[in-house]
């Protein structure tokens, strides 16, 4: 048994390859088939007399996505996809599909999304999934290298973290309501008081009522939290993480980026230092550019695109008005109307990929905030304990994986950045 990606090790040898038919072609007395096995593509050549007659005839029954086993001799063939060819000596179909729904022609996105379970087999979708896998690996390596400990946070939770309007609610046995986690942050804060530097990496859920190219209802987030870190510290950490992941993807997924026809120059530019501007500066730039906006409002996708257009790499916008941000953000001592927070905006119109902040460390302040945001105190007593028992300044951020993958791959919509997207209007397949 040989992986197609490893055929270089088997030149001149007989191998067995198992996979699916990607392409079929006849030319005179010769038959060609391109087979995919998940590791790569190889062309098999069938010449009458070089394999049993019955096997040669089986070729005519094959259709796209037929599963099969091939035996053959490996030859170096620079013109073939992958650089090798198989002279087939045995062909054994496993299952032959009728009417594979995805033809090599243009399909609408709705159709492809309905057939997402099959669409994943296309070279483009495979390339995206491999980039995504690399992003996960690189994030873990980065945090491990920085001495962060992975701590898993719960998905079923008794409270909101990021506002009550996007909560998914479920019945929790006979204990009333539970909510699907919008962020692991609050639990990560507890873990940071135990382990110092921690991160979590998991699915998060938001009942987003908006249909945009940047919103999923289920998405993956990697979140970091560190005791004694200030806003400045996590800005440095966020910049280190994103530049590391980008460089790792460039180093190991060049082939995939080529399949995606991604212009890699904007990725190559994503090296530190990333520009840092305050919310005030960003707002002034918007108003100068004719995009009128009042102080105090959060930026939307359009504003983020305009702001990031001025830079060739991700930009960090810090110190937004507290009034448009979450309850847990520490106020800026220099101007208490501002939060010690940061959003990282990706270039090329991709917008916010990271949100983070320094957290309120004082118990009384936090109690006031809960009241202001009309959040119930009782289910958050444990969170208040963190301010009662050895409270310290601490900070963290969350990176949205699909937004990052969408930018890295140059995708039009985050729905292609996750294997099975969950959207306002999609729960199938
Ligand atoms: O800015 P957000 O809401 O921040 C938090 O959740 C913090 N509790 C994180 C922390 O400090 N530990 O979300 C963080 C990131 C966003 O910048 C965005 O990349 C992504 O999560 N995100 C989404 N991605 C896809 N679909 C959605 N509906 C998303 N909502 C947020
Ligand atoms: Mg945010």
């Amino acid at each position: 048994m040989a992986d197609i990606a490893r055929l270089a090790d088997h030149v001149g040898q007989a191998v067995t390859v198992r996979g699916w038919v990607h392409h079929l072609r006849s030319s005179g007395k010769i038959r060609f088939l391109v087979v995919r096995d998940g590791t790569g593509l190889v062309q098999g050549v069938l010449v009458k007399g070089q394999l049993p007659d019955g096997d040669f005839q089986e070729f005519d029954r094959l259709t796209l996505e037929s599963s099969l086993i091939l035996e053959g001799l490996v030859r170096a063939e620079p013109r073939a996809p992958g650089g090798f060819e198989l002279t087939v000596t045995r062909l054994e179909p496993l299952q032959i599909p009728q009417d594979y729904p995805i033809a090599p022609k243009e399909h609408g996105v709705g159709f492809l999304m309905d057939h997402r379970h099959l669409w994943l087999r296309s070279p483009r979708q495979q390339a995206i999934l491999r980039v995504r896998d690399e992003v996960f690996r690189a994030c873990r390596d980065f945090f491990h290298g920085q001495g962060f400990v992975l701590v898993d946070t719960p998905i079923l939770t008794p409270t909101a973290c990021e506002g009550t309007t996007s909560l998914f609610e479920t019945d929790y046995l006979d204990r009333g309501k539970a909510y699907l986690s919008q962020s692991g942050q609050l639990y990560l804060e507890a873990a940071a008081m135990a382990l110092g530097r921690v991160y979590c990496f998991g699915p998060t859920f938001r009942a987003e009522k908006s249909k945009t190219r940047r919103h999923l209802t289920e998405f993956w987030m990697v979140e970091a939290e560190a005791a004694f870190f200030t806003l400045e510290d996590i800005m440095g950490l966020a910049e280190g993480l994103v530049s590391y992941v980008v460089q790792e993807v460039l180093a190991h997924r060049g082939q995939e980026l080529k399949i995606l026809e991604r212009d890699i120059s904007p990725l190559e530019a994503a090296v530190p230092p990333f520009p840092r501007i305050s919310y005030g500066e960003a707002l002034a730039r918007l108003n100068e550019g004719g995009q009128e906006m009042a102080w105090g409002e959060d930026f939307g996708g359009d504003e983020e695109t305009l702001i990031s257009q001025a830079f060739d790499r991700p930009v960090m916008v810090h110190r937004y008005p507290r009034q448009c941000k979450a309850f847990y953000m520490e106020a800026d001592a220099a101007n208490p109307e501002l939060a010690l927070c940061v959003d990282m905006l990706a270039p090329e119109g991709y917008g916010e990929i990271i949100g983070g902040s320094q957290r309120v460390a004082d118990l009384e302040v936090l109690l006031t905030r809960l009241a202001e945001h009309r959040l119930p105190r009782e289910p958050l007593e444990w969170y208040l304990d963190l301010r009662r028992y050895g409270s310290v300044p601490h900070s963290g951020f969350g990176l949205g994986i699909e937004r990052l993958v969408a930018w890295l791959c140059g995708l039009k919509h985050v729905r292609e950045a996750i294997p099975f997207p969950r959207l306002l209007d999609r729960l199938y397949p």
Side-chain angles (χ1 to χ4, degrees):
M1 204 61 56
D3 283 348
I4 290 173
R6 305 217 61 91
L7 288 182
D9 302 341
H10 298 277
V11 175
Q13 297 172 7
V15 297
T16 303
V17 165
R18 299 183 293 195
W20 297 263
V21 172
H22 178 69
H23 186 68
L24 293 162
R25 180 164 66 90
S26 294
S27 174
K29 289 186 176 142
I30 308 182
R31 307 282 179 268
F32 299 94
L33 79 179
V34 177
V35 172
R36 159 178 62 81
D37 75 345
T39 73
L41 293 174
V42 67
Q43 172 158 284
V45 183
L46 285 71
V47 182
K48 211 170 176 149
Q50 293 185 344
L51 71 167
D53 276 354
D55 289 18
F56 186 82
Q57 279 152 19
E58 286 285 65
F59 177 93
D60 294 335
R61 294 206 301 129
L62 294 178
T63 59
L64 286 187
E65 293 303 320
S66 294
S67 47
L68 48 64
I69 299 174
L70 284 185
E71 279 173 27
L73 215 63
V74 182
R75 287 193 298 113
E77 173 50 75
R79 287 168 302 176
F84 301 94
E85 214 166 59
L86 271 188
T87 305
V88 177
T89 54
R90 191 170 84 87
L91 183 159
E92 182 194 335
L94 295 175
Q95 193 261 329
I96 297 180
Q98 300 307 316
D99 307 322
Y100 184 65
I102 301 182
K105 58 159 193 171
E106 288 288 311
H107 289 287
V109 169
F111 179 88
L112 290 170
M113 276 294 159
D114 285 342
H115 294 86
R116 184 67 176 163
H117 50 298
L118 302 176
W119 188 24
L120 293 180
R121 302 179 186 191
S122 79
R124 244 185 86 80
Q125 299 305 316
Q126 286 183 52
I128 296 167
L129 291 183
R130 285 185 201 281
V131 170
R132 180 182 166 99
D133 166 68
E134 188 70 23
V135 167
F136 274 67
R137 185 197 62 72
C139 287
R140 292 199 179 100
D141 281 1
F142 175 84
F143 282 119
H144 183 75
Q146 301 276 325
F148 280 67
V149 180
L150 177 70
V151 174
D152 302 307
T153 54
I155 287 174
L156 289 167
T157 62
T159 46
C161 178
E162 297 296 327
T164 48
T165 54
S166 67
L167 277 176
F168 273 110
E169 199 178 274
T170 178
D171 290 324
Y172 191 78
L173 308 173
D174 53 5
R175 295 197 152 256
K177 296 287 176 217
Y179 308 97
L180 299 186
S181 176
Q182 299 166 307
S183 160
Q185 178 194 323
L186 305 186
Y187 295 94
L188 217 48
E189 287 184 50
M193 300 305 136
L195 293 155
R197 277 172 283 179
V198 293
Y199 74 105
C200 64
F201 205 150
T204 40
F205 306 86
R206 298 200 190 170
E208 304 278 6
K209 308 294 190 303
S210 54
K211 226 173 148 175
T212 78
R213 60 196 174 90
R214 317 189 309 157
H215 288 94
L216 294 158
T217 54
E218 177 178 313
F219 63 97
W220 285 69
M221 183 154 54
V222 63
E223 297 180 80
E225 194 72 33
F228 300 105
F229 269 41
T230 62
L231 173 64
E232 299 307 311
D233 294 330
I234 54 143
M235 282 167 66
L237 188 72
E239 170 185 85
L241 171 66
V242 170
S243 56
Y244 179 78
V245 173
V246 173
Q247 295 315 308
E248 288 297 290
V249 167
L250 284 171
H252 303 290
R253 291 290 167 238
Q255 189 58 39
E256 283 73 14
L257 295 175
K258 205 170 271 168
I259 291 170
L260 295 165
E261 296 173 345
R262 177 68 166 114
D263 169 14
I264 59 171
S265 49
L267 305 180
E268 287 170 334
V271 288
F274 292 177
R276 301 174 182 201
I277 62 171
S278 69
Y279 171 90
E281 288 169 63
L283 189 70
R285 281 164 178 263
L286 284 177
N287 288 336
E288 278 161 28
Q291 181 87 359
E292 290 300 318
M293 205 176 136
W295 188 93
E297 281 178 62
D298 203 353
F299 299 135
D302 292 344
E303 288 85 19
E304 289 177 359
T305 299
L306 285 168
I307 295 163
S308 62
Q309 262 166 10
F311 305 98
D312 70 339
R313 62 196 82 189
V315 52
M316 291 192 279
V317 183
H318 55 83
R319 293 178 173 80
Y320 285 65
R322 276 205 299 113
Q323 67 185 64
C324 66
K325 290 290 184 185
F327 75 94
Y328 51 70
M329 293 185 179
E330 188 76 282
D332 186 357
N335 179 356
E337 292 299 300
L338 302 180
L340 290 176
C341 69
V342 61
D343 277 5
M344 187 188 288
L345 314 182
E348 302 175 87
Y350 283 91
E352 181 191 341
I353 53 172
I354 282 183
S357 73
Q358 195 165 320
R359 322 303 191 190
V360 172
D362 180 77
L363 178 64
E364 291 310 318
V365 175
L366 192 52
L367 286 170
T368 312
R369 293 298 177 73
L370 287 181
E372 282 169 6
H373 286 257
R374 295 207 178 80
L375 288 167
R377 172 177 167 165
E378 192 211 350
L380 281 173
E381 277 301 329
W382 67 271
Y383 185 69
L384 297 170
D385 272 354
L386 306 178
R387 279 74 185 168
R388 291 186 184 106
Y389 305 112
S391 187
V392 301
H394 61 288
S395 304
F397 65 79
L399 165 67
I401 295 296
E402 289 76 18
R403 297 237 185 126
L404 178 61
V405 170
W407 173 51
L408 291 170
C409 295
L411 309 178
K412 293 201 194 83
H413 195 296
V414 286
R415 66 187 161 216
E416 277 186 71
I418 185 165
F420 294 97
R422 299 293 173 241
L423 301 159
L424 178 64
D425 56 358
R426 180 164 295 280
L427 190 58
Y428 177 92

